[in-house]
DNA sequence: AGGTTGACATA
DNA sequence: GTATGTCAACCTT
């Protein structure tokens, strides 16, 4: 073990007692063996070892051990015979679980540590101290106050029941004393459960106050006569010796002679078959499924371990804990875990490691034939119920809906398909209609399960926590079914799995993935519903045709999942998927479903005004130009300006036409030409009109009267989400004209809109990633970052700095984030390329760490083909190896930008994932409506606004924690108003 | 009818 | 210099 490593020590004995009392009792179905606490233990260990970023600890352990009490007789009994003397026997149905929990530990391939004469707490204290000695961090998995004395800079605790980390501040908050004073505090208060005497009449509050007053126990005892309260003073004087004994009882021994060293605790990957074998024996179906998914093992092919439960005197050890230590059959009871030999080996060609499994699955998938003739069409409720039962038995089912619209807010359910395993798939038509014989085309096709019956049959499966639903772009189905009152869970999304694996490597569309991974061309949707004037909604598609199309969809989704999910494990990306990607689906679906209010009248008035002003400008333009032409045609405009009128032409576009960008026209306007200014103004007006004032009202939903955007989770290589139909991430803000459109986004009556945005999040992320002292200091001090940059670069004091100097520094800062080039900076600042090059040179002299970051990022991307965010998300740029210098340079800039943009995107994702629970916890009814990259927009009742603002700020500002402890603070500005413009 | 281009809105 | 999405015009099918 070395510096930077992280040791997890689970207080196994403490956990089992707590889990037994906190969790609902549970018995093994087949024979009634009590297993509730063991399940709790297994779930916790799985979570901690598999995806530690999923917990409040937020750290992946490098070393891991579970510590148990061995015997109730320890050295403490020699100090004080009564120690733990009043301990009662554990409940009947807990007794067999002591042994099972040790078996579980071994099944997880984890060290199972205990020692005669010492409590688990002493072993934990000793290992934590050893870890500290080599510079490693320790997290103790326990919430026992007896262990809090160990908390310090390198040691923290984690309460697995409450998913809460306990550090120095938490100890102080709870007990009123810092961890190092916990021993003195406990010496005074004593402990009735362990029969530690303490001082009668002194509880935690008084003890904390006394320690605060006197500093420590010895001083307190020496100066007890100074205590004012008569009874208290007397009690302390009388019981001084008891307090001293108590102190020795609660003081943990951190020099226990150990058998196992820290290096024996290096965390091993789980052995899927071995673990599943154990979990199956205890009939933990849900966890078995999760473990199977994560390890890529095939549970159906693994036999359950035969478990023996020893409860009598034949078991070894003098104490109850040990009395009930059962063991895996045929396995000697060991102090240490067995090697990684699986007790059951996987059959067939399934690989033993995630990587080989991923490979074999991929090969098998391409080789497999897809036989559409085997697809079934379910026409009656009994058959559907049989399929649902089969799906429940299987534990995984691919599911997809067929509807009348690509927009889940408008779509009506027409049918759905299921796939239980490759080739075993069916379609359930429920609302197909026939156009034959009826000119209005309203006839319901015969032999369909009724809508209500079908939903009643499939609904329980969709929300069954032990059945994994597989889909592609689940957000669509989730929102559709959410409208029908069903929230799908748990689920996997092949689109998102592909995105996590391959962001930057092409499309994640279903068709693309089926082709790429299964070598199969899907039936094009167009071939089913037609196009142009022949386009029909899905309810008018013939059921036979619909069956083939829809069933193939589920079948392929199942096959795709079987290929992609093991790749996730093999690439170590499970936690990115489960932490950053999948949980966002319900969050975004709900946001889309809520929509936002837009003032139709206001937009209409604005549209009329814009039309008038544009028309007036058109007349002026024709007059100045001397002819009528299509102003909106860059080709015609370029020919008139630079051809016929002979204005000094700037550059040409790649297709050889005159470029007429706003920048060029602005420059011409500055030189005194009349027409370019008018064109720029006309473009602004018509842009605002066509894209916003005219288009937005058409998106107002007929029933909700609100605008519902659609968020794309898998459309950017960096991890940002995008918004479309309508795009609410590009509503104008920079110009006064544009902001008027923003004022049309309003809160419902009695509510306010709250806008909360991160200040300079990308520069802060850059300061963290590249570790730039001046930048982290500047952000810590809260100074104007652009002015600081200017001051550093040009030697100009911040006080009285000319705005132009600051503007240039600001452009450079942005340029840095974008992977700066002299060409781009020169363009942005309208300065010669040489001058821009000088700026960049000077910048790198002042901030050499940035150049280092850029060079390292490029080199690493060339080497690996991808870059990573601080949370481990990957963005691929294979073209960075291109031989085309321009193309290569472009990819280099993108690769430099991606970790910055992507880390910021991950941070706000984390905030969004936590937000709803945080608001609910604070009993607030604010609803998250929009995300604009570094901004979240909420709607909240007026009277809750003041209480909502700090909750929103805290969740956003703390979003990186605890997975990443940023070197800079995150600043969040939040405001409420009646409309979006004033709130922002 | 569908795809591409140039322009421009946002972070 | 990064990342998007939408519009009108224009070209191809």
């Amino acid at each position: 073990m070395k510096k930077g490593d992280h040791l997890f020590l689970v207080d196994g004995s403490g956990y089992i007692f707590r889990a037994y009392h906190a969790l609902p009792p549970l018995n093994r179905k087949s024979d009634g063996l009590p297993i509730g606490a063991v399940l709790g233990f297994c779930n916790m260990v799985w979570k901690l070892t598999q995806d530690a970023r999923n917990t409040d600890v937020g750290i992946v352990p490098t070393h891991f051990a579970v510590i148990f009490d061995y015997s109730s007789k320890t050295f403490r009994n020699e100090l004080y015979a009564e120690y733990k003397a009043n301990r009662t026997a554990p409940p009947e149905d807990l007794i067999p679980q002591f042994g099972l929990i040790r078996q579980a530990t071994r099944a997880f391939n984890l060290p199972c540590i205990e020692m005669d004469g010492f409590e688990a707490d002493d072993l934990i204290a000793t290992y934590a101290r050893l870890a500290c000695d080599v510079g490693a961090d320790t997290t103790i998995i326990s919430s026992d106050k007896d262990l809090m004395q160990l908390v310090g800079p390198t040691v923290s605790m984690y309460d697995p029941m409450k998913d809460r980390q306990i550090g120095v501040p938490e100890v102080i908050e709870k007990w009123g004393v810092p961890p190092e004073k916990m021993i003195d505090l406990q010496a005074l208060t004593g402990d009735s459960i362990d029969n530690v005497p303490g001082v009668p009449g002194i509880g935690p509050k008084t003890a904390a106050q006394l320690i605060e007053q006197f500093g420590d126990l010895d001083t307190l005892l020496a100066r007890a006569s100074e205590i004012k309260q008569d009874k208290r003073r007397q009690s302390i004087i009388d019981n001084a010796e008891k307090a001293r004994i108590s102190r020795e009882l609660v003081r943990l021994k951190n020099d226990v002679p150990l058998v196992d060293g820290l290096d024996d605790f290096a965390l091993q990957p789980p052995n899927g078959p071995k673990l599943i074998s154990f979990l199956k024996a205890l009939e933990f179906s849900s966890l078995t499924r999760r473990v199977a998914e994560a390890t890529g093992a095939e549970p159906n092919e693994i036999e359950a371990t035969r478990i023996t439960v020893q409860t009598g005197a034949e078991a070894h050890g003098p104490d109850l804990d040990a009395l009930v230590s059962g063991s895996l059959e045929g396995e000697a009871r060991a102090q240490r875990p067995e090697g990684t030999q699986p007790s059951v080996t996987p059959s067939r060609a399934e690989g033993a490691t995630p990587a080989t499994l991923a490979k074999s699955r991929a090969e098998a998938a391409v080789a497999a034939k897809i036989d559409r003739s085997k697809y079934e069409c379910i026409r009656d409720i009994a058959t559907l119920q049989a399929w649902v039962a089969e799906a429940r038995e299987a534990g995984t089912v691919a599911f997809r809906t067929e509807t009348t619209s690509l927009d889940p807010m408008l779509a009506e359910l027409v049918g759905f398909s299921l796939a239980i395993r490759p080739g075993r798939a069916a379609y359930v038509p429920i609302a197909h209609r026939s156009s034959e014989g009826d000119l209005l085309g309203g006839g319901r096709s015969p032999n369909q399960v009724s809508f209500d019956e079908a939903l009643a049959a499939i609904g329980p499966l969709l929300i069954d926590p032990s059945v994994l639903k597989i889909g592609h772009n689940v957000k669509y189905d989730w929102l559709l079914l959410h409208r029908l009152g069903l929230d799908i869970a748990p689920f996997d999304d092949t689109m998102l799995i592909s995105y996590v694996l391959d962001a930057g490597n092409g499309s994640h569309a279903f068709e693309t993935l089926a082709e790429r991974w299964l070598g199969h061309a899907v039936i094009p949707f167009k071939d089913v519903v037609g196009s142009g004037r022949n386009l029909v909604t899905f309810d008018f598609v013939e059921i036979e045709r619909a069956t083939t199309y829809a069933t193939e969809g589920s079948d392929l989704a199942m096959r795709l999942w079987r290929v992609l999910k093991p790749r996730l494990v093999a690439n170590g990306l499970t936690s990115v998927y489960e932490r950053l990607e999948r949980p966002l689906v319900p969050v975004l679906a709900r946001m889309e479903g809520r929509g936002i209010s837009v003032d139709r009248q206001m937009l209409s008035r604005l549209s009329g005004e814009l039309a008038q002003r544009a028309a007036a400008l058109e007349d002026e333009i024709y007059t100045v130009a001397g002819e009528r032409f299509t102003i909106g045609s860059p080709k015609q405009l370029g020919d008139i300006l630079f051809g016929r009128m002979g204005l000094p032409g700037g550059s040409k576009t790649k297709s050889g036409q005159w470029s007429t960008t706003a920048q060029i026209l602005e420059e011409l306007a500055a030189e005194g030409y009349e027409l370019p200014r008018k064109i720029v103004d006309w473009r602004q007006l018509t842009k605002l009109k066509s894209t916003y004032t005219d288009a937005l009202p058409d998106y107002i939903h007929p029933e909700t009267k609100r605008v519902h955007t659609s968020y794309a989770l898998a459309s950017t290589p960096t991890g940002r989400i995008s918004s479309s139909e309508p795009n609410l991430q590009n509503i104008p803000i920079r110009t006064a004209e544009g902001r008027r459109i923003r004022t049309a986004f309003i809160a419902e009556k009695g509510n306010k809109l709250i806008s909360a945005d991160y200040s300079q999040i990308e520069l802060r992320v850059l300061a963290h990633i590249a570790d730039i002292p001046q930048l982290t200091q500047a952000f810590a001090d809260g100074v104007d970052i652009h002015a600081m940059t200017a001051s550093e670069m040009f030697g100009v004091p911040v006080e009285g700095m000319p705005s132009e100097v600051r503007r240039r520094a600001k452009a450079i800062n942005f340029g840095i984030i974008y992977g700066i080039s002299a060409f781009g900076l020169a363009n942005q600042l309208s300065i010669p390329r040489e001058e821009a090059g000088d700026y960049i040179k000077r910048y790198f002299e002042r901030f050499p760490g940035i150049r280092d970051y850029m060079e390292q990022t490029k080199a690493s991307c060339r080497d690996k083909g991808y870059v990573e965010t601080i949370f481990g998300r990957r963005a691929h740029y294979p073209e960075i190896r291109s031989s085309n210098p321009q193309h290569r340079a472009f990819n280099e800039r993108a690769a430099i930008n991606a970790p910055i943009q992507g880390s910021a995107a991950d941070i706000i994702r984390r905030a969004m994932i936590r937000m709803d629970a945080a608001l609910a916890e604070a009993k607030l009814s604010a609803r998250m409506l929009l995300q604009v990259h570094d901004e979240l927009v909420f709607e909240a009742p007026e009277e809750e606004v003041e209480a909502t603002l700090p909750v929103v700020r805290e969740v956003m500002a703390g979003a990186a924690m605890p997975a990443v402890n940023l070197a800079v603070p995150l600043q969040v500005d939040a405001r409420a108003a009646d409309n979006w413009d004033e709130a922002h």
Side-chain angles (χ1 to χ4, degrees), chain A residues 214-243:
Chain A
F214 291 94
D216 58 52
L217 181 66
D218 287 326
T219 313
L220 166 67
L221 295 178
R223 294 166 46 193
S225 56
E226 295 171 25
I227 295 169
K228 293 205 177 66
Q229 298 88 339
D230 293 341
K231 276 189 95 169
R232 188 177 296 173
R233 181 179 59 241
Q234 203 50 48
S235 183
I236 290 173
I237 292 170
D238 293 348
N239 296 288
E241 198 46 38
K242 273 191 182 162

Side-chain angles (χ1 to χ4, degrees), chain A residues 223-447:
Chain A
R223 294 166 46 193
S225 56
E226 295 171 25
I227 295 169
K228 293 205 177 66
Q229 298 88 339
D230 293 341
K231 276 189 95 169
R232 188 177 296 173
R233 181 179 59 241
Q234 203 50 48
S235 183
I236 290 173
I237 292 170
D238 293 348
N239 296 288
E241 198 46 38
K242 273 191 182 162
R244 290 199 183 90
I245 289 174
S246 298
R247 180 168 56 185
E248 294 322 302
L249 290 175
V250 300
R251 191 197 303 280
L252 297 180
K253 195 167 163 54
N254 68 2
D255 55 358
V256 175
L258 301 166
V259 177
D260 301 84
L262 289 173
D263 292 330
D264 298 320
F265 297 171
L267 183 59
Q268 307 295 327
N271 179 322
K274 176 178 171 183
L275 181 52
I276 286 168
S277 178
F278 174 79
L279 298 172
K280 280 187 84 166
L282 290 194
E283 299 167 19
F284 296 156
S285 58
S286 179
L287 185 57
T288 300
R289 175 178 56 67
R290 293 211 302 278
V291 171
E293 274 165 40
T295 59
E298 188 57 70
N300 296 331
E301 293 161 9
I302 297 170
E303 259 183 67
T305 312
R306 298 233 319 273
I307 290 204
T308 52
V309 182
Q310 304 176 339
T311 51
E314 79 272 20
H316 110 292
D319 193 43
L320 265 179
D321 283 15
L323 267 176
V324 292
S325 300
S327 64
L328 291 174
E329 187 176 326
E331 186 184 9
R333 186 171 184 277
Q335 290 274 331
R336 294 252 308 276
E338 290 292 281
T340 52
Q341 276 313 98
S343 51
V344 180
T345 44
S347 61
R348 288 194 294 153
E350 293 279 46
T353 70
T356 55
L357 176 76
K359 191 158 170 284
S360 68
R361 282 272 177 89
E363 285 162 2
V366 176
K369 282 281 163 292
I370 280 134
D371 183 358
R372 291 174 182 150
S373 71
K374 294 271 168 49
Y375 293 157
E376 292 186 25
C377 183
I378 299 173
R379 297 292 205 153
D380 62 274
I381 187 69
T383 311
L384 174 56
Q385 278 161 348
W387 274 78
V388 168
E390 191 181 333
R392 181 169 281 125
E393 183 64 29
T396 48
V397 60
F399 173 83
R400 83 177 232 175
T401 55
E402 299 301 339
T403 69
T404 55
S405 171
L406 262 56
D407 179 349
M409 284 303 292
L410 300 172
E412 307 272 0
L413 191 60
V414 175
F416 56 84
S417 61
L418 306 171
I420 289 165
R421 58 175 187 273
R424 176 76 178 149
Y427 178 61
V428 187
I430 52 182
H432 282 262
R433 297 195 281 181
S434 162
S435 49
E436 285 164 37
D438 184 344
L439 285 175
L440 296 171
R444 180 181 158 83
S445 303
N447 301 323

Side-chain angles (χ1 to χ4, degrees), chain A residues 460-537:
Chain A
L461 186 74
L462 296 180
I463 62 171
D464 188 330
S466 69
V467 180
L468 180 75
K469 274 66 67 175
I470 297 162
H472 190 87
N473 189 17
V474 173
K475 179 162 64 63
Y476 178 91
D477 307 82
W478 201 96
L479 179 51
L480 179 83
L481 288 156
H482 180 65
R483 287 172 54 221
L484 298 172
L486 286 170
D487 290 355
I488 305 176
F491 64 84
D492 256 346
D493 189 329
T494 48
M495 182 180 80
L496 298 184
I497 295 173
S498 169
Y499 180 57
V500 168
L501 286 165
D502 283 319
N505 287 340
S507 158
H508 310 285
F510 190 62
E511 299 78 6
T512 315
L513 298 185
E515 183 66 54
R516 186 185 305 160
W517 294 104
L518 310 174
H520 180 83
V522 305
I523 303 166
F525 188 55
K526 248 178 55 182
D527 292 4
V528 181
V529 295
S531 67
R533 53 187 291 120
N534 298 319
L535 183 76
V536 295
T537 47

Side-chain angles (χ1 to χ4, degrees), chain A residues 18 28 206 250 258 329 522 613 652 789 793 909 949:
Chain A
R18 185 131 179 263
R28 182 159 66 178
T206 313
V250 300
L258 301 166
E329 187 176 326
V522 305
R613 290 168 56 191
K652 296 274 185 83
T789 306
M793 279 184 67
R909 277 170 177 252
L949 291 171

Side-chain angles (χ1 to χ4, degrees), chain A residues 773-958:
Chain A
Q774 301 106 301
L775 289 182
T776 51
Q777 188 61 49
F779 281 122
D781 296 344
V783 305
D784 179 335
I785 196 70
H786 301 312
M788 186 285 284
T789 306
S791 176
E792 188 86 15
M793 279 184 67
F794 304 117
V796 182
V798 173
E799 295 291 319
M801 175 180 288
S803 65
E804 175 59 21
V805 174
R806 183 179 179 280
R807 186 181 79 89
R808 295 194 174 199
K810 183 176 176 181
I812 292 165
N813 277 334
F814 273 97
I816 293 296
I817 290 169
Y818 298 154
I820 205 149
S821 77
F823 182 86
L825 183 63
N827 233 0
Q828 177 67 29
L829 288 174
S830 302
I831 56 174
R833 191 140 23 131
E834 295 70 31
E835 199 179 342
D838 287 343
Y839 282 177
I840 295 169
K841 204 173 146 221
R842 196 180 308 190
Y843 183 93
F844 283 148
E845 282 165 10
R846 288 293 169 183
F847 302 98
I850 303 264
R851 194 202 328 241
D852 294 344
Y853 160 74
M854 290 182 166
E855 292 306 322
Q856 282 164 17
T857 304
K858 284 191 279 186
S860 159
C861 188
R862 270 193 295 274
D863 177 40
K864 296 195 284 192
Y866 62 86
V867 290
E868 276 184 342
T869 69
I870 54 179
F871 300 98
R873 172 192 300 283
R874 293 181 187 172
H876 293 81
Y877 294 96
E879 308 277 83
I880 200 170
R881 297 166 185 149
S882 167
S883 56
N884 175 336
Q886 267 200 321
H887 194 171
R888 186 174 61 238
F890 174 80
N891 279 277
E892 286 175 349
R893 291 193 296 271
I896 288 167
N897 172 257
I900 304 168
Q901 187 186 114
S903 297
D906 288 347
I907 288 171
I908 198 167
R909 277 170 177 252
R910 289 169 61 91
M912 294 170 74
I913 289 163
R914 293 176 183 177
M915 191 61 74
D916 281 347
L919 290 168
E921 167 89 1
K923 301 210 162 25
L924 295 167
S925 49
R927 291 140 330 236
M928 194 161 37
L929 304 185
L930 304 177
Q931 190 251 39
V932 193
H933 308 310
D934 65 358
E935 174 189 11
L936 294 174
V937 178
F938 302 81
E939 190 170 42
E942 275 174 46
E943 63 276 11
E944 290 184 12
V945 163
E946 285 312 310
T948 305
L949 291 171
V951 173
V952 167
R953 280 194 201 103
E954 274 164 38
V955 171
M956 289 177 72

